[in-house]
Amino acid sequence: MKLVHQINLAFGILLVLVLTVTAISIHFVLLDHFIGAQKDDMHAVGWKMQETLEQEAYQMTEGVSAVNVTPRLLSSSTAAIAAVPIVGVDAIISDNMGNIVSGTLPAASSTSITGVKAFNAVTAVSPLSLTRAATVIDPTLQETANVPSLQNIWEGRDTRFIATVNAIPQGTLTLITPVSKITAIEQALFGRLLIVLGVGGILMFLLSLFITKKLIKPLMRLREELKKVKERRFSEVQLIHAGGEIGVVAHTVYDLAEELDRYNRVQKQFFQNASHELKTPLMSISGYAEGIRDGIFEGESVQKGLDIILSESGRLKNIITEMTLLAKLDSEENIFQTSMVNVQDMLTETIERITPLLVQKGLSLEIVYGEGKQDTMAIAADRDKLLQALLNVVANATRYASQHICIHAGIYQDRVEISIIDDGSGIPEDLLPYLFHRFVKGKGGENGLGLAISRAIVERCGGLIKARNRKEGGAVFTLDFPSAA
């Protein structure tokens, strides 16, 4: 199943579950609210009727014989029952024996309403002592008789009615209403709410389809671009514009494709340059060797040819050695023997080794140390390999410097920084981004492997190497390492 269908299905199921739980909760909340409101209204009416009946009973009993009291009380109670202000509520007056003397029990469905919360259910009510009570449905009790019983209503066993009971001089006043009337109102309102929830759910689902399509579409396009990467069509990969994490992944894939494309081109260029660099000395060696063998060169020419053969053989050996070193730096872990290297001692040895070349070219070189103790500058590296990297960079500076070279070393924010500065013509801008690539060399360069080897060594030491041009003229090579002091 596609991801877009999985997301839509998951969201649809979640939406149905949420709406179902919401509808059930609303149903019970509405029913509880209506029952509670009806109960409060009946309590208020019951208290007012009780007060009215008590006042009338007091007035009627003054100066009246006991024989005439009961008929007068019953007459006044009948008038009070007819004046109940709540529609759908019946008032019943019963005597002290529980017999109904005024009013009738309302008819109600024989089917009990189950699952409704009981409000202050009364389990035992005495008409003589009860002043106020309310009985609602108890889910554990089911009334099975179709004919309601006043006693069952008082005791809360009849789940079809809500009732309030008040003691009055005439006996007991019972206000009663069927639960079915309340549930009918609740169900009518609940039906409208279900329609609203249904329409809202449909709109939310349609909106989710749109949003999912909006989110998944970049992923589908990104999958197509990854297929291009798999097929090595790196230059055809396009940047997918998207937001959030998908946009970050898209940028990463695009950058990866660019890097792979560049690496692919560099590899091709590497083999081309390697073939050229190896072919040139081989052709010279082969040409002079054949000339000497065939007797083309005689006398001093033979000696000159032999010198060229030895020179080109040495150059060929250096190229092969450097290519082998680069391959080892890229693939072999045990080629590095890390130890604590004192930067001052290493720079001093570098100057000692490069001095003959400086004298030959008539250049001057100085070392400038930054603030702090010089002997505290130490880095974790392979000393011999790092010395070779420094010699490569300094030798490159001697090739292009006019008169002076300066090496500046110091500690900045817990990092050791070594800068080699020359006063030459600088690095061509078109060459600067590719300066540390293999077989990339400027005017007067040898084989284009020295700086590539230096970068590989510096990076294996956990450092960085950068190159830039100075405004005053000349180039600056900076080697940056974590301080081990």
Side-chain angles (χ1 to χ4, degrees):
M1 184 182 293
K2 292 184 177 180
L3 179 61
V4 60
H5 299 321
Q6 293 180 9
I7 294 177
N8 289 332
L9 179 62
F11 184 81
I13 295 174
L14 179 62
L15 186 61
V16 170
L17 290 176
V18 171
L19 291 179
T20 302
V21 173
T22 303
I24 294 174
S25 302
I26 290 176
H27 167 72
F28 285 106
V29 169
L30 285 176
L31 195 58
D32 287 355
H33 172 73
F34 287 142
I35 291 176
Q38 183 74 9
K39 181 189 69 172
D40 292 340
D41 292 343
M42 291 171 63
H43 272 307
V45 172
W47 278 111
K48 290 182 180 180
M49 292 180 66
Q50 179 183 357
E51 292 176 356
T52 301
L53 290 173
E54 287 178 350
Q55 291 177 0
E56 291 180 357
Y58 177 75
Q59 294 174 358
M60 290 179 181
T61 54
E62 289 183 352
V64 179
S65 63
V67 178
N68 297 323
V69 169
T70 302
R72 288 175 175 270
L73 291 176
L74 293 176
S75 175
S76 64
S77 63
T78 302
I81 290 173
V84 176
I86 303 177
V87 178
V89 175
D90 295 308
I92 300 172
I93 295 179
S94 58
D95 57 20
N96 294 333
M97 301 300 295
N99 299 317
I100 298 176
V101 297
S102 180
T104 58
L105 289 172
S109 173
S110 61
T111 304
S112 300
I113 306 298
T114 61
V116 182
K117 181 181 178 182
F119 291 90
N120 302 325
V122 178
T123 57
V125 180
S126 173
L128 297 176
S129 60
L130 183 62
T131 59
R132 185 181 182 216
T135 61
V136 192
I137 303 166
D138 184 351
T140 62
L141 299 175
Q142 299 285 330
E143 178 64 41
T144 58
N146 290 333
V147 180
S149 168
L150 189 60
Q151 186 68 27
N152 290 336
I153 293 173
W154 284 347
E155 296 177 357
R157 294 200 302 269
D158 196 328
T159 59
R160 299 169 295 175
F161 300 95
I162 299 175
T164 60
V165 183
N166 297 79
I168 57 176
Q170 295 87 339
T172 302
L173 171 63
T174 304
L175 296 181
I176 185 171
T177 185
V179 174
S180 59
K181 294 182 179 180
I182 297 175
T183 56
I185 298 173
E186 182 270 334
Q187 289 175 0
L189 180 59
F190 183 65
R192 292 181 175 86
L193 287 175
L194 284 180
I195 294 175
V196 174
L197 288 176
V199 173
I202 293 173
L203 292 177
M204 289 178 63
F205 186 73
L206 294 177
L207 181 62
S208 73
L209 292 178
F210 173 76
I211 294 175
T212 302
K213 184 178 179 181
K214 193 80 173 175
L215 292 176
I216 297 300
K217 187 176 180 179
L219 283 178
M220 305 300 290
R221 293 177 58 192
L222 187 59
R223 183 184 65 179
E224 298 301 321
E225 301 306 317
L226 286 172
K227 286 183 180 179
K228 296 178 182 178
V229 175
K230 179 182 177 182
E231 297 169 359
R232 296 181 179 273
R233 295 183 289 140
F234 307 123
S235 59
E236 299 178 15
V237 176
Q238 299 178 351
L239 176 61
I240 305 301
H241 297 283
E245 288 77 4
I246 298 178
V248 175
V249 174
H251 274 281
T252 303
V253 171
Y254 182 73
D255 294 340
L256 173 64
E258 277 193 337
E259 183 63 22
L260 289 173
D261 185 48
R262 186 198 64 78
Y263 182 78
N264 194 35
R265 285 186 281 104
V266 167
Q267 287 293 94
K268 292 179 180 179
Q269 186 179 7
F270 169 77
F271 287 114
Q272 293 173 358
N273 293 338
S275 299
H276 174 73
E277 292 293 333
L278 295 174
K279 186 187 297 183
T280 301
L282 283 174
M283 289 177 61
S284 297
I285 293 172
S286 177
Y288 277 99
E290 289 178 358
I292 293 173
R293 183 196 64 184
D294 296 338
I296 297 175
F297 300 105
E298 296 179 355
E300 294 182 359
S301 298
V302 174
Q303 185 63 39
K304 182 179 179 181
L306 292 174
D307 291 340
I308 291 176
I309 290 174
L310 289 173
S311 175
E312 292 300 318
S313 298
R315 180 185 171 196
L316 186 60
K317 179 182 177 182
N318 290 335
I319 294 174
I320 295 174
T321 301
E322 291 181 345
M323 290 177 61
T324 304
L325 176 60
L326 270 174
K328 289 182 177 180
L329 289 172
D330 289 340
S331 60
E332 296 184 13
E333 295 293 333
N334 57 0
I335 192 175
F336 250 65
Q337 303 297 326
T338 304
S339 61
M340 294 293 293
V341 178
N342 184 282
V343 175
Q344 183 182 11
D345 295 341
M346 185 178 59
L347 291 177
T348 301
E349 185 173 352
T350 301
I351 300 304
E352 292 174 353
R353 293 197 181 190
I354 208 71
T355 297
L357 185 59
L358 295 173
V359 173
Q360 180 183 350
K361 291 182 174 288
L363 300 173
S364 61
L365 187 150
E366 67 171 335
I367 301 178
V368 178
Y369 293 100
E371 297 180 359
K373 296 182 179 180
Q374 301 174 10
D375 54 358
T376 60
M377 285 192 298
I379 56 179
D382 186 314
R383 193 179 189 282
D384 294 335
K385 300 293 188 303
L386 187 56
L387 182 60
Q388 182 178 355
L390 275 173
L391 286 171
N392 289 345
V393 176
V394 176
N396 184 79
T398 60
R399 189 175 297 116
Y400 300 103
S402 298
Q403 297 178 348
H404 184 70
I405 298 173
C406 178
I407 299 178
H408 187 280
I411 299 178
Y412 305 95
Q413 297 180 352
D414 295 330
R415 295 188 70 87
V416 176
E417 186 176 290
I418 303 172
S419 298
I420 296 92
I421 308 167
D422 65 70
D423 60 351
S425 59
I427 305 168
E429 292 297 329
D430 58 338
L431 187 64
L432 195 57
Y434 313 103
L435 190 62
F436 296 100
H437 292 177
R438 300 174 184 183
F439 294 108
V440 174
K441 58 183 178 180
K443 184 179 179 181
E446 292 183 352
N447 51 39
L449 292 175
L451 293 180
I453 292 174
S454 296
R455 184 185 69 169
I457 293 173
V458 170
E459 290 179 351
R460 285 292 297 270
C461 296
L464 295 172
I465 183 170
K466 298 177 290 184
R468 63 180 177 85
N469 288 320
R470 300 170 61 210
K471 294 181 180 179
E472 302 84 356
V476 179
F477 287 81
T478 302
L479 286 68
D480 186 16
F481 303 92
S483 176

